[in-house]
Amino acid sequence: MRFAYISVMITDKSSPIGFYDSGVGGITVLDTAMEAMPHEDYVYLADCSHAPYGCRGSDEILGRAMFCTGKLISDGAKAVVVACNTATAVAVDALRKAYGAIIIGAEPAIKPACKSGAKNILVLVTPLTAVQDRFLRLVHAYPDKNITVVPAEGLASSIEKHIDNTEAVRNEVYALLSRYSVPDAVVLGCTHYVHIARLIKDYYGAGVRVYDGNKGIVDRLHNELSSAGLLNVMGGRVRFVTV
């Protein structure tokens, strides 16, 4: 698949930060960013017509990533957060080559889980993320840990469908978790899964820690904006766009 490569650098600190995901998953990342950087303006692009990404092919995801990122940048975003683990694993390297703007990806919080001392770690991901080299390199970076990768077929779709009542997916989540031994930690390797963190905590109880990558994503975003002199001090607006 061929794309026109464009060099774009937004230097106006009052420009918004763009977020996108295949639907509602990345909204939890946006929430974390708004708490950490309340004076920024934000645009959240939900690619609802192609949600979820995890059951689609790599070429299609790459095409959607290029489209969504290009749209946000052409609309003036000073940085783009790929608030989707699947799109990050498939496309973030290509996005950084294609655009001169700040591009932040979503990475499963495997490193923090491993550093916590957890030995047995369950990583919930989409089927497409599970086979990506970028993700597998991260898993293989910790050979001393027992990391079990769980490609949760259909779970992101169920969460997207029941986002206003995630209690409706409780049985599906519990059935999935029951197939595996109780871990020391669970890593949520899809931003959609952050919406069901409470269900996972209810299933295991206080003895199992649940990790998501939202804080790490926002920390990287803040650091890159700060280094580029693009942190805003007067914003606070949010705009939602669907395609």
Side-chain angles (χ1 to χ4, degrees):
M1 187 176 292
R2 290 177 171 268
F3 296 94
Y5 285 75
I6 305 168
S7 179
V8 178
M9 178 60 74
I10 305 297
T11 57
D12 184 352
K13 65 177 62 178
S14 66
S15 297
I17 301 167
F19 283 70
Y20 88 88
D21 192 5
S22 59
V24 299
I27 287 177
T28 61
V29 188
L30 174 63
D31 287 344
T32 303
M34 291 171 62
E35 290 178 7
M37 296 180 286
H39 301 301
E40 297 287 349
D41 288 338
Y42 298 93
V43 178
Y44 184 91
L45 189 158
D47 191 10
C48 295
S49 62
H50 294 80
Y53 283 167
C55 60
R56 297 180 182 274
S58 295
D59 284 348
E60 184 177 6
I61 300 308
L62 177 58
R64 297 312 300 170
M66 286 289 183
F67 172 82
C68 293
T69 301
K71 179 173 176 53
L72 288 167
I73 290 175
S74 66
D75 287 347
K78 64 184 178 184
V80 173
V81 177
V82 184
C84 171
N85 292 89
T86 299
T88 297
V90 171
V92 74
D93 291 335
L95 293 175
R96 287 170 176 157
K97 289 178 182 177
Y99 299 103
I102 296 169
I103 308 289
I104 305 296
E107 186 173 273
I110 293 175
K111 182 177 180 179
C114 289
K115 284 193 168 185
S116 73
K119 186 71 176 178
N120 300 302
I121 300 169
L122 206 65
V123 184
L124 305 182
V125 294
T126 67
L128 186 55
T129 296
V131 298
Q132 298 301 310
D133 288 343
R134 185 183 184 90
F135 169 72
L136 292 173
R137 286 196 299 270
L138 181 60
V139 172
H140 296 153
Y142 301 94
D144 59 324
K145 304 294 184 180
N146 180 25
I147 299 176
T148 301
V149 177
V150 179
E153 184 80 40
L155 182 56
S157 295
S158 296
I159 295 168
E160 184 81 19
K161 180 179 179 182
H162 298 289
I163 193 60
D164 293 326
N165 179 27
T166 54
E167 188 66 28
V169 302
R170 179 182 290 271
N171 290 342
E172 182 178 352
V173 172
Y174 283 13
L176 175 67
L177 298 177
S178 69
R179 301 173 197 163
Y180 302 92
S181 299
V182 176
D184 303 317
V186 176
V187 174
L188 306 178
C190 169
T191 53
H192 275 79
Y193 301 166
V194 182
H195 291 280
I196 59 164
R198 179 183 59 80
L199 297 181
I200 296 171
K201 292 174 182 177
D202 288 349
Y203 181 83
Y204 286 119
V208 177
R209 292 196 62 181
V210 178
Y211 293 84
D212 67 67
N214 289 2
K215 183 179 184 301
I217 295 168
V218 172
D219 285 348
R220 290 194 300 275
L221 173 64
H222 182 277
N223 290 341
E224 294 237 15
L225 290 173
S226 179
S227 295
L230 290 175
L231 286 174
N232 199 5
V233 295
M234 296 183 63
R237 295 169 296 180
V238 184
R239 182 164 62 94
F240 292 91
V241 179
T242 59
V243 293

